[in-house]
Amino acid sequence: MRLVLLGAPGAGKGTQAVSLSEAFGLVHVASGDLFREALREGTDLGIQAKSYMDRGQLVPDEVTIMMILGRIARPDCEKGFILDGFPRTLEQAQALEEALKKEAKAIDKVLYIKVSVEELVKRLSGRCVCRVCQMPYHNTYCAPEANGICDRCGGQLFQRPDDNDETVKERVKVYFSNTAPLIDYYTKAGKLQEVNGGQEVEIVARELVAATT
Ligand code: AMP
């Protein structure tokens, strides 16, 4: 099974991707995590991506497409994957479709997690993420059991530098201008399944599982 999780920053893609990948045994491929990993390792890719990420803007398509197509070509993705944060532009969606088509493959479903703008901004400003496994938490809605410590792996939690107020606004704006058109693109392709992301995490998770089957 090959899935795409679509939704604005803060819609809950990261959280839901973790439970979906566990439920279906699929590899979770998160473009933002891959960029952050490259940045930590100080690779050319990370250095190239940094200035865009710091401003809440999209890393150029060419770089992003190459990174993701390279990742999903690895053997662990053979049985299936969940894309989280990719595609974010029509060009990325088309490049993905063409690359899969060459291998007689396709995206099976696109799960769109819909959340209101007010809710997105609220969620992003209280968000923290595990430094080790990237699991997202929220100070109010989804706090870890022990302050500052990841429930899942015991790693330290931190606030992403691009979760500050100004960058959050830019990221939400970029989402509506560049990524929201994909809703139409995948609806026309007959692949889009919409889920109300404003509900409890467990309810959203259940509805996403139901939407894939
Ligand atoms: P995320 O963790 O998905 O919120 O992504 C963090 C940042 O990484 C974004 O604000 C972009 O700068 C960059 N990024 C992640 N995915 C993509 C993508 N598909 N296309 C372009 N830039 C991306």
Side-chain angles (χ1 to χ4, degrees), residues 9-10 13 30-33 35-36 49-61 64-65 67-68 84-89 92 124 127 160 162-163 167 171 174:
K13 297 190 298 298
S31 46
D33 288 350
F35 282 132
R36 280 183 289 277
K50 185 180 181 333
S51 64
Y52 297 97
M53 296 172 80
D54 285 348
R55 283 177 284 142
Q57 287 173 0
L58 295 183
V59 178
D61 280 338
T64 310
I65 289 167
M67 174 181 79
I68 292 293
D84 160 11
F86 182 96
R88 257 173 157 103
T89 64
Q92 292 179 11
L124 286 167
R127 183 162 82 166
R160 278 173 41 177
D162 58 346
D163 277 347
T167 316
R171 286 164 60 209
V174 164

Side-chain angles (χ1 to χ4, degrees), residues 70-205:
R71 178 66 191 87
I72 62 176
R74 286 185 16 204
D76 61 341
C77 286
E78 187 58 37
K79 285 197 200 127
F81 52 78
I82 302 176
L83 290 175
D84 160 11
F86 182 96
R88 257 173 157 103
T89 64
L90 277 173
E91 290 71 17
Q92 292 179 11
Q94 283 157 354
L96 174 66
E97 195 176 322
E98 278 162 30
L100 290 174
K101 209 180 200 172
K102 279 188 195 145
E103 312 235 323
K105 293 174 182 163
I107 292 296
D108 298 300
K109 292 251 164 74
V110 176
L111 305 172
Y112 168 41
I113 308 179
K114 190 174 182 180
V115 174
S116 73
V117 183
E118 300 74 36
E119 179 68 15
L120 291 175
V121 175
K122 243 193 316 185
R123 285 187 187 184
L124 286 167
S125 45
R127 183 162 82 166
C128 50
V129 184
C130 175
R131 222 176 257 293
V132 181
C133 75
Q134 316 303 325
M135 184 76 183
Y137 294 87
H138 191 281
N139 295 341
T140 319
Y141 307 116
C142 181
E145 275 175 27
N147 197 18
I149 306 289
C150 177
D151 294 345
R152 195 165 166 237
C153 78
Q156 203 184 30
L157 305 185
F158 78 111
Q159 188 184 38
R160 278 173 41 177
D162 58 346
D163 277 347
N164 66 70
D165 284 356
E166 204 180 314
T167 316
V168 160
K169 279 195 199 122
E170 178 63 16
R171 286 164 60 209
V172 171
K173 204 170 94 190
V174 164
Y175 167 78
F176 281 103
S177 57
N178 294 286
T179 311
L182 293 180
I183 297 167
D184 208 35
Y185 177 83
Y186 284 121
T187 302
K188 284 187 183 136
K191 298 195 170 177
L192 197 92
Q193 299 282 328
E194 182 178 312
V195 166
N196 173 7
Q199 310 173 91
E200 296 279 319
V201 174
E202 293 73 20
I203 300 176
V204 178

